[in-house]
Amino acid sequence: MNMLSSSWRRLRGWIGAPAAAPVAASGALHGAQAADSLRALLDDPHIPPVVRATLAEDFGRLEAMLAKLERDELHLAVFGRVSVGKSALANALLGEPAFEVGVLHGTTREAGQRPWRDVAGSGVHLIDTPGIDELDGEAREHLAFEVAGLVDLVVFVVDGDMTQREREAVQLLAATRRPLLLALNKADRYTEAERENVLVRLREHVAGLVRAEDVVAVSARPAALRTVHVDADGGEHEQWLAQPPDIDALRGRLVAVLAREGKTLAALNASLFAGRLSDAVSGRIAASRRELGGKVIRQYCLAKSVAVALNPIPVADLLAAGALDAALVMHLGRVYGLPLTRSEAGGLITTICAQLVALMGAIWGIHLAASALKGLSAGMSTVLTAAAQGALAWYATELVGRAAERYLIAGKSWGEHGPKRVVAEIVESLDRDSILREARSEILARLRRGDADRPA
């Protein structure tokens, strides 16, 4: 199935080389390509409604990403462990108390978003996320990583040397291919020498994941400065003076990265998400087709086996069997979106049977004998013979259907190993005895039900 437009394929080729440095001059072009690819996926008429319904949440995110590209927005997430000062840092960047700040464990309960500033013509929005180690953990941690997976840039905040959990989180975030900045918050608690030592250790922890120049020290809410005021009478009065945030190093790095790479980052991130969704759509479609294909094969197995078992005329039931095999293969072609003509279906069956000649010869030899015996027998012996004959027809149909299915899944191809290998694998994968037992049981039940329905 042609899932995406040619523009999407070109963009997938472009994002296939992650080591290439984004170029600001091509950001607008990349954004346009990404928007085209997202529209192609959203509007693809080949995606079944049931697949869209199953992946409705992901398609909703895709629509939001497309709207974000069209509005020329960039999203920046502040991420980190509980109580390291994520919200305080986001507020310091904004210059206003937009996000809740508190001393309670896990003050941030859900992701919040606020517009920050324009950078190189793009409106940048700040997103504050729940901590990675919340007490009622998994749901909020999942939300945090979901947000991080959809934004264009992540600031990971720590307040000292990194814990093992923080190192693991940075590795997971780096795997999303989002640019990362690491901010050492509460840097005012350290002496200058201590601060430099912590920064050195942090750069060692994130080497290869975060550029050294993107590991910076900040103080989102510096401790108040204690001063002593002496009045005219010589009395001393203690005063605490609030200190302004010290975030210039981080702000400068953010603006530099977003100005240089922002538009391309937004295009890349949207395209990566669209690529994952495209793969998920393809997987869902393939799974639904396999499920439907299995039902179709079973229906034809049952129809063919019962038709063969009920046909009282020797040999004539073989003709009906051949017609049903052709109908099965053509039906499977429609299921997999690769319609077959009757001639193509006949050729496919011939190819499959040629690879099963020894096995099929044995089956049809028994089939012919049973057909003749069925015409000469009466009563229960006829029913038992018919059931055995029908079971063999069921098994043969299963072989033909599964082999044809493999041929269609591969896009009307037997692959590099040819039909012999494929058919042999099908025969090996099927439990013949189990299939024959199921077939005999089903056929006998149908035959007995048919006898019970006949008038006395």
Side-chain angles (χ1 to χ4, degrees), residues 250-267:
L250 176 63
R251 184 190 291 114
R253 289 304 304 155
L254 287 174
V255 171
V257 171
L258 292 172
R260 184 179 69 246
E261 307 175 5
K263 293 181 186 294
T264 297
L265 288 173

Side-chain angles (χ1 to χ4, degrees), residues 82-83 86 102-109 130-131 133-135 140:
V82 167
S83 301
K86 303 184 311 300
V103 296
L104 294 177
H105 188 78
T107 299
T108 302
R109 299 282 164 168
D133 55 348
E134 297 285 8
L135 286 176
R140 290 189 212 163

